[in-house]
Amino acid sequence: MYLRPTLKTSNIIKLAPLLFLGACASQPMVTGGWALEPVSLYYSGYEQGTEIISVQQSTLRAVLSNFDTGEVDLLDVSHPQKLKRIARFSLKTAKGEELTSVAFHPASDLFAAVVDTGIQRGRLEIRSASTGALVDKVEVGYGPDSVVFSQDGSLVMVANEGEDYSFDRQTQQFFSAEGSISIIHLDATGRVKANNNLAMAEVKYREGFIVQEQGHFLEREVDWDGDGKISKKMDFDGNGIIEKKKVKLGSFEGADVFGTETSGERKILFPIQSHSKALLEPEYIAIAPDASKAYVTLQETNEVAEVDVVNERVLGYFNMGVTEHRIDAQYNGWVEFQDTIKALREPDGIALTPDGRYFITADEGDTDIDPSVSGEQLFSGGRTVSVFDVKTGKLIGDTGNQLDEISFAHGVYPDSRSNRKGAEPEMLVSFEMEGSPWAAVGMERSGAVILISLADPANPRAVALGKIPGDEAKSPEGIAHFTVAGEHYLLTANEMDGTVAGFKISRTAEAPVPLNKDAGSMR
């Protein structure tokens, strides 16, 4: 039910490219009759850290997390052209703790926040949205990364990523806590009635989990030498020279672990070669409208977990498979969408369509794939938004190379990322507009948000792009949708420049957006 082969030719998705951009290509036309108009920019006062934003539609307020300071801003979004901060609450996080996510209760004057406490179990806090006062708190799993309310607000779910690794120099062994999913039930006042930390399902030898026997790695920060800091470069083999080569550093559950000296302790490589539950790292959660099921991305293993919320257990895993389409694969100052890739989707963000029939993923990618070891040119990250059937996990359709193409057409495509993950879809939100389902996805590397029509789920279509104002790096992370007086708006929390950008979704003439004259080169 859950599993499909990933690399067999008969199961690879075949998508014809929509357009090719090169020196000799005709100018592409980006049409759709929609626009994403930037209407506001809220500045937190900090240079970075604005990561997750969540809107309460009934009061038109939003909560915004700042991972750098452990603070939550309460915003008034009732006038989208002028976002206004109402209050700022400090969660008083201790040294070594990090505020990772927030969510506004759908109806009550409450918000949820999760705090990663490092090597200890993390915690969920329920707080007053008006005063910031703590209402209740509860222990969750290791490395909580995201939090979401059910539509009726009676339960909260937390994805505990458990991605922190440690190293025992004496035994030369690496260790990591297992990821998990927490379900917390609340009473009408926001106090915790019951909580349960769900272990991941034990499904050994599931097809598609091990994509390659060699050459597929998790990249993790680890204090390998025990000096209390993460070194950017390190002479792992002690020969006095820092070289761009892999050095064996120890083992993890029987598999050799490597480090690249030029990347140091920032990117220690853990082979994905076992069926260990420690490799399952829950990332983001989408809860069904009736709260009977939930769907959780497992980015590093290219899966989505299906959770029975009523009986509180992880049922199994949908394999996200491989996408194949055209990209620009070279960082050379010249953009030509003429290379064909096979790419593991490795989804980050996830959302459900309003009717609950499909889940949608933002396929960012988060592993290291070494073709010299694996023998196959396989990429990390589909560079796509994909649509799946919630009952079967079957792929319905994806955007192919549209996200990179529309980014290029609007002058924001990052050629420096061509040989990595392109414009890089991060998180997304789904909503209904004019009787049809839609999605909007934040593009981490192009500093933009893209509007996607899901009117035909088998052919999701990128119809508009809105650039976040300013020229500095922005990295949109969180994204939220809301309406005011029948008009639709989006907010992006931009973690690298400390801002929130507001966009209005509007109809426009079916006017093409051409490239500038040098169609094949970066601007």
Side-chain angles (χ1 to χ4, degrees):
M1 174 180 176
Y2 300 99
L3 309 168
R4 299 183 309 136
T6 54
L7 293 181
K8 294 179 182 177
T9 303
S10 60
N11 285 277
I12 292 173
I13 304 148
K14 302 292 185 182
L15 293 176
L18 297 181
L19 47 95
F20 303 93
L21 302 181
C24 299
S26 60
Q27 288 192 346
M29 312 298 278
V30 180
T31 63
W34 295 90
L36 284 173
E37 176 191 358
V39 294
S40 56
L41 191 68
Y42 165 78
Y43 179 46
S44 68
Y46 300 118
E47 291 184 0
Q48 63 177 17
T50 47
E51 187 173 21
I52 302 298
I53 190 158
S54 175
V55 174
Q56 186 179 62
Q57 177 64 53
S58 59
T59 64
L60 292 176
R61 295 179 298 170
V63 284
L64 170 71
S65 69
N66 190 303
F67 68 81
D68 231 19
T69 65
E71 295 172 320
V72 174
D73 286 358
L74 181 69
L75 306 181
D76 178 357
V77 301
S78 61
H79 297 87
Q81 290 76 14
K82 189 174 182 180
L83 305 176
K84 178 182 177 182
R85 185 169 75 219
I86 303 170
R88 171 168 285 167
F89 310 124
S90 173
L91 271 59
K92 296 182 171 58
T93 51
K95 184 178 180 179
E97 295 184 340
E98 181 181 335
L99 169 63
T100 56
S101 187
V102 291
F104 220 133
H105 192 283
S108 300
D109 187 43
L110 301 167
F111 70 88
V114 286
V115 178
D116 184 345
T117 61
I119 62 173
Q120 305 296 322
R121 289 184 179 274
R123 67 178 179 273
L124 166 73
E125 298 185 354
I126 304 297
R127 290 179 173 266
S128 164
S130 293
T131 68
L134 182 66
V135 175
D136 208 349
K137 64 181 179 179
V138 67
E139 188 177 76
V140 290
Y142 293 96
D145 193 51
S146 64
V147 60
V148 62
F149 280 99
S150 61
Q151 283 191 8
D152 66 0
S154 65
L155 66 84
V156 187
M157 293 186 69
V158 178
N160 305 299
E161 196 166 9
E163 68 173 350
D164 288 336
Y165 283 75
S166 59
F167 181 63
D168 185 328
R169 294 188 64 81
Q170 192 168 24
T171 64
Q172 299 290 292
Q173 297 289 314
F174 288 87
F175 300 93
S176 176
E178 291 184 3
S180 62
I181 300 165
S182 299
I183 298 180
I184 299 97
H185 296 267
L186 305 178
D187 66 17
T189 68
R191 295 190 176 275
V192 175
K193 292 196 301 184
N195 68 292
N196 190 7
N197 210 46
L198 310 185
M200 304 307 293
E202 190 76 65
V203 183
K204 289 188 180 295
Y205 308 112
R206 57 192 186 273
E207 195 173 15
F209 176 66
I210 304 304
V211 178
Q212 297 162 285
E213 291 184 0
Q214 295 182 343
H216 188 203
F217 303 92
L218 299 184
E219 297 178 332
R220 292 292 174 262
E221 288 188 355
V222 185
D223 181 12
W224 178 77
D225 63 0
D227 67 354
K229 61 182 180 181
I230 301 296
S231 299
K232 295 181 179 179
K233 296 181 180 180
M234 181 163 286
D235 180 14
F236 286 124
D237 59 10
N239 68 353
I241 305 172
I242 293 177
E243 302 171 90
K244 191 175 183 180
K245 64 178 182 180
K246 287 187 175 68
V247 178
K248 180 182 173 182
L249 304 180
S251 61
F252 173 72
E253 299 192 346
D256 291 341
V257 175
F258 301 90
T260 304
E261 293 188 330
T262 50
S263 297
E265 296 173 318
R266 294 178 304 162
K267 294 183 179 180
I268 290 181
L269 303 174
F270 292 82
I272 303 179
Q273 292 184 23
S274 74
H275 290 79
S276 167
K277 289 197 293 183
L279 293 174
L280 300 175
E281 300 181 357
E283 201 93 25
Y284 289 104
I285 302 175
I287 302 177
D290 63 359
S292 62
K293 295 279 185 69
Y295 304 87
V296 185
T297 52
L298 305 170
Q299 186 171 15
E300 293 76 12
T301 57
N302 196 37
E303 297 172 302
V304 165
E306 184 185 27
V307 181
D308 179 347
V309 177
V310 176
N311 296 300
E312 300 193 351
R313 63 192 183 101
V314 178
L315 296 174
Y317 308 96
F318 294 128
N319 172 28
M320 297 293 93
V322 174
T323 182
E324 184 179 17
H325 54 76
R326 295 295 184 100
I327 65 163
D328 175 62
Q330 304 296 321
Y331 173 28
N332 57 6
W334 191 260
V335 175
E336 299 175 292
F337 295 121
Q338 295 180 2
D339 302 296
T340 299
I341 62 159
K342 295 177 183 177
L344 300 169
R345 287 189 170 82
E346 296 182 352
D348 190 4
I350 188 169
L352 282 164
T353 52
D355 61 9
R357 290 182 60 190
Y358 306 103
F359 65 81
I360 314 147
T361 60
D363 306 325
E364 177 193 27
D366 192 33
T367 63
D368 180 274
I369 299 173
D370 187 343
S372 66
V373 177
S374 69
E376 179 151 8
Q377 183 64 29
L378 190 66
F379 282 72
S380 169
R383 312 183 187 204
T384 45
V385 165
S386 301
V387 182
F388 296 86
D389 185 286
V390 298
K391 293 182 179 179
T392 65
K394 179 182 177 182
L395 174 72
I396 304 301
D398 72 18
T399 53
N401 197 39
Q402 292 181 64
L403 305 183
D404 282 356
E405 288 166 350
I406 196 172
S407 295
F408 181 73
H410 285 264
V412 294
Y413 177 75
D415 186 38
S416 63
R417 302 289 298 181
S418 286
N419 60 347
R420 300 181 72 182
K421 301 182 182 75
E424 207 162 312
E426 181 84 12
M427 289 183 64
L428 78 174
V429 64
S430 182
F431 51 93
E432 184 177 296
M433 185 169 61
E434 296 190 358
S436 294
W438 296 80
V441 60
M443 305 301 294
E444 183 175 8
R445 302 297 175 176
S446 61
V449 59
I450 295 175
L451 180 66
I452 299 169
S453 170
L454 301 175
D456 178 4
N459 295 286
R461 190 163 63 101
V463 299
L465 179 146
K467 179 183 178 296
I468 297 165
D471 295 323
E472 64 284 342
K474 304 167 187 72
S475 295
E477 178 80 14
I479 186 168
H481 164 267
F482 64 105
T483 61
V484 178
E487 302 284 355
H488 292 258
Y489 295 88
L490 298 168
L491 299 174
T492 63
N494 312 310
E495 61 180 342
M496 292 306 294
D497 73 346
T499 66
V500 171
F503 295 87
K504 182 180 181 181
I505 305 173
S506 58
R507 282 245 183 223
T508 185
E510 285 277 350
V513 180
L515 299 178
N516 48 351
K517 294 178 182 178
D518 298 321
S521 59
M522 288 302 298
R523 302 182 288 282

